[in-house]
Amino acid sequence: MFDLQDVTFKSDGKSPKTLLENITVNFPTGAFSAIVGHNGSGKSTLLKLLARKNKKHSGTITLDDAVLEHHGTRDFARKVAYLPQNPVVPPHLSVRELVAFGRYPWRGAFGRYRAEDHARIDQAMELTHVTGFADRLVASLSGGERQRVWLAMLLAQDAPVLLLDEPTSALDVGHQRDILQLVANLKNHGNLTVIAVLHDIDMVGRFADHIIALRGGQTCWQGTARDFMQGETLRDIFQTDIDVIHLPDHDRFVSFVA
């Protein structure tokens, strides 16, 4: 769905800095792709390129075989939903009002909500288990509840691609697992393509289908979760002494710093 060929991104200013260089990657359709790497390696910068928040310096990015810049604004919003880090919540907005924002690319004449829009909003809240507090203010919710509401807004947008920038960064380990399990379930339920910036190695190994690792703005590794959760691979990506333990009862691997 997203295909990048030799993509480079440089910062603005008199002395631009190269933040991404010669990135070539194909994000598989219908998969949960994770972008990993050190802080400052270019993870969020890459996701913002996909979301059209950044403009590439060179190379080619295509979406559905069409150059990214050639998609109209509404057409793009109907295909790609983006959740940035730490999105700002308007203080007087209810859960249902926030979720309804996701219908913006689909609303009818004069911005009116149609029966189909209300049905999509209801469905998105049900799938993310937020219907029970639809009338509460988003600002009053816990971190985990709030993340589910943001996901509901993205689902209401009815886009086949979700871009998530560190969706679990402010959550404890239990809520991280719950949110990523929810994302994985939503991907399977709606045949979605998910591309997420993630930090937790074990969560990446547990939920991601496809992984791209960055180091210093360049791709240093790509592959599957099973190949990712190997001591040699992790040591090479993160340049530190990491190893893994196999949990045979769960058919999973857990990382540890040696």
Side-chain angles (χ1 to χ4, degrees):
M1 187 165 287
F2 268 115
D3 186 73
L4 290 77
Q5 295 292 328
D6 296 321
V7 172
T8 294
F9 173 78
K10 297 183 179 182
S11 61
D12 295 327
K14 295 182 179 179
S15 301
K17 180 181 179 182
T18 300
L19 302 179
L20 292 172
E21 187 173 19
N22 299 330
I23 302 294
T24 295
V25 58
N26 177 267
F27 289 100
T29 302
F32 188 145
S33 293
I35 304 172
V36 304
H38 287 293
N39 290 336
S41 60
K43 301 183 299 297
S44 292
T45 300
L46 175 56
L47 199 72
K48 288 177 181 177
L49 281 173
L50 303 181
R52 302 207 306 190
K53 304 299 180 183
N54 288 336
K55 292 185 178 181
K56 63 181 174 57
H57 175 77
S58 62
T60 304
I61 304 175
T62 58
L63 171 64
D64 291 343
D65 298 322
V67 175
L68 193 62
E69 295 89 338
H70 293 175
H71 290 270
T73 301
R74 176 168 285 204
D75 172 63
F76 182 76
R78 289 180 173 184
K79 292 181 177 179
V80 178
Y82 168 63
L83 183 63
Q85 292 185 44
N86 305 315
V88 177
V89 179
H92 303 299
L93 210 61
S94 73
V95 167
R96 186 176 181 84
E97 288 170 334
L98 179 61
V99 175
F101 281 173
R103 294 305 299 168
Y104 180 80
W106 300 95
R107 287 189 297 179
F110 308 108
R112 293 172 180 165
Y113 289 102
R114 301 158 297 180
E116 179 183 352
D117 297 314
H118 290 295
R120 291 289 187 180
I121 293 166
D122 290 340
Q123 181 186 46
M125 290 196 297
E126 289 172 7
L127 288 171
T128 52
H129 314 298
V130 301
T131 305
F133 41 86
D135 296 325
R136 284 181 57 185
L137 296 179
V138 179
S140 72
L141 303 178
S142 68
E145 291 170 336
R146 196 175 297 180
Q147 285 300 91
R148 284 192 279 141
V149 172
W150 286 115
L151 287 174
M153 185 189 74
L154 266 61
L155 285 181
Q157 192 171 329
D158 204 22
V161 182
L162 304 184
L163 305 178
L164 311 175
D165 196 351
E166 299 190 32
T168 61
S169 61
L171 304 178
D172 60 50
V173 65
H175 283 100
Q176 288 182 39
R177 179 202 59 213
D178 292 345
I179 289 297
L180 291 178
Q181 184 65 67
L182 175 60
V183 171
N185 292 343
L186 294 172
K187 182 209 73 169
N188 294 332
H189 178 273
N191 194 29
L192 302 175
T193 298
V194 177
I195 304 173
V197 172
L198 297 175
H199 274 292
D200 190 290
I201 291 171
D202 297 331
M203 294 296 177
V204 171
R206 181 170 178 175
F207 292 105
D209 306 306
H210 166 255
I211 300 155
I212 173 174
L214 301 179
R215 184 168 62 239
Q218 296 181 314
T219 305
C220 65
W221 189 86
Q222 291 188 59
T224 65
R226 180 167 289 276
D227 291 334
F228 174 74
M229 293 300 291
Q230 303 295 325
E232 182 178 358
T233 301
L234 296 177
R235 286 190 291 273
D236 181 62
I237 291 172
F238 295 100
Q239 301 288 283
T240 193
D241 196 6
I242 304 176
D243 214 329
V244 298
I245 299 173
H246 182 213
L247 303 178
D249 292 343
H250 300 278
D251 194 29
R252 291 205 309 268
F253 294 84
V254 175
S255 65
F256 67 94
V257 177

